[in-house]
Amino acid sequence: MKRLSVNIDHVATLRQARGENGPDPVTAALIAELAGAAGIVSHLREDRRHIQDNDVYLLRKLLKTKLDLEMAATEEIVNIALDVVPDLVTLVPERRQELTTEGGLDVASQLPHLKEVTNRFHSKNIAVSLFVAPVEKQIRAAKNVGADFVELHTGEYANAKGRDVETQLTRLKTAARYAHKLGLKINGGHGLDYRNLRPVAMIEEIEEFSIGHALISHAIFVGLERAVKEMLDILSEVSFEKEG
Ligand code: PXP
């Protein structure tokens, strides 16, 4: 069955809105794990708008599954990540004005820097994933950098309407197949929800999905445990259909 990693950033968004102690993203992470998540994702942004440094250290200490630290490849955050030693780092582009990560990383235009950062992580046995648009040029560049994974940006697929949905899905399928051929492992994420996950989950080569906003939003109404289980139900139905 495909794996689900739960991004708990938006629990911290709610906490930061009042500057109080709760809701606690680390507690959310532990509940998500108990509900069956294969891992937890959190993005330590340079502006610290949601997740704080202390959250990341606590996650590292308490998680039983896997910590995927999403981050920009800047010196400050790289040094924190090397100190925390997550299981995986996912390198993303970051702009201060954006509401969320808007596009994929332009790996091709910063090969030497990303190669150096990847080597530093590998020297501490931290796996490296690059968040990229589903295009060959960026995937090939990720391979050249020495990344272990690519996370395919599913945002354009998630925003597509009408016949463009199928076009975006085909782009993701082609990209996943290409990355697999190069020997990369493949995750997917951004904008995925209870309605649009199923078609991408049918793509053989994508092993894991990183889902945050839709899941945490649903949890406000049904509780986090149920929100995680409903997402896992979709992944398990897909694997059942494939086997059947
Ligand atoms: N993957 C990456 C690399 C992201 O930047 C984000 C957003 O933080 C996600 C997945 C999760 O996206 P969403 O919150 O839309 O599910």
Side-chain angles (χ1 to χ4, degrees):
M1 183 174 141
K2 312 246 169 186
R3 296 186 298 272
L4 169 68
S5 264
V6 174
N7 180 318
I8 41 87
D9 292 347
H10 295 305
V11 178
T13 301
L14 210 51
R15 176 189 63 191
Q16 298 309 112
R18 288 296 286 267
E20 307 277 348
N21 291 328
D24 175 27
V26 180
T27 305
L30 298 176
I31 293 169
E33 274 194 332
L34 285 173
I40 299 298
V41 189
S42 73
H43 184 173
L44 185 67
R45 294 186 67 103
E46 288 181 274
D47 62 12
R48 307 299 200 272
R49 71 170 67 154
H50 40 50
I51 292 293
Q52 306 297 306
D53 300 35
N54 193 42
D55 297 324
V56 178
Y57 281 95
L58 270 176
L59 287 169
R60 172 68 295 174
K61 207 162 145 189
L62 297 176
L63 290 186
K64 299 261 189 300
T65 55
K66 181 180 76 177
L67 173 60
D68 173 1
L69 184 64
E70 230 183 78
M71 52 176 281
T74 61
E75 193 55 26
E76 184 211 1
I77 306 288
V78 167
N79 283 328
I80 294 171
L82 287 167
D83 191 46
V84 169
V85 194
D87 302 284
L88 174 71
V89 290
T90 298
L91 303 181
V92 300
E94 213 174 276
R95 273 192 296 274
R96 257 162 223 268
Q97 305 308 325
E98 68 191 1
L99 289 177
T100 179
T101 316
E102 283 168 357
L105 198 60
D106 186 359
V107 185
S109 75
Q110 38 182 337
L111 277 180
H113 173 60
L114 291 175
K115 215 177 237 182
E116 190 243 339
V117 167
T118 298
N119 287 341
R120 285 166 77 190
F121 284 128
H122 281 167
S123 73
K124 282 214 152 187
N125 283 325
I126 301 167
V128 176
S129 178
L130 303 183
F131 183 52
V132 293
V135 296
E136 282 196 5
K137 180 182 168 191
Q138 299 299 343
I139 295 167
R140 196 168 48 246
K143 177 69 184 174
N144 289 336
V145 158
D148 308 283
F149 292 79
V150 280
E151 180 178 328
L152 296 179
H153 195 318
T154 53
E156 283 191 61
Y157 158 75
N159 290 332
K161 295 205 165 45
R163 280 165 43 189
D164 191 35
V165 175
E166 206 49 47
T167 309
Q168 295 302 334
L169 200 55
T170 304
R171 275 182 88 207
L172 287 166
K173 275 183 204 163
T174 309
R177 213 153 289 157
Y178 181 67
H180 183 71
K181 226 169 61 189
L182 294 184
L184 289 158
K185 285 178 265 187
I186 304 145
N187 298 332
H190 210 283
L192 296 175
D193 61 24
Y194 296 87
R195 183 187 50 81
N196 64 21
L197 175 61
R198 182 185 295 270
V200 259
M202 297 290 287
I203 301 174
E204 191 86 37
E205 292 83 1
I206 305 183
E207 295 178 15
E208 184 168 310
F209 295 97
S210 164
I211 304 181
H213 191 266
L215 194 153
I216 300 300
S217 302
H218 192 48
I220 289 174
F221 298 110
V222 303
L224 186 53
E225 182 182 357
R226 186 163 147 198
V228 172
K229 287 194 164 147
E230 285 183 24
M231 205 59 96
L232 286 171
D233 283 347
I234 297 169
L235 295 178
S236 108
E237 280 163 24
V238 167
S239 82
F240 189 69
E241 276 167 33
K242 289 193 135 190
E243 280 164 23

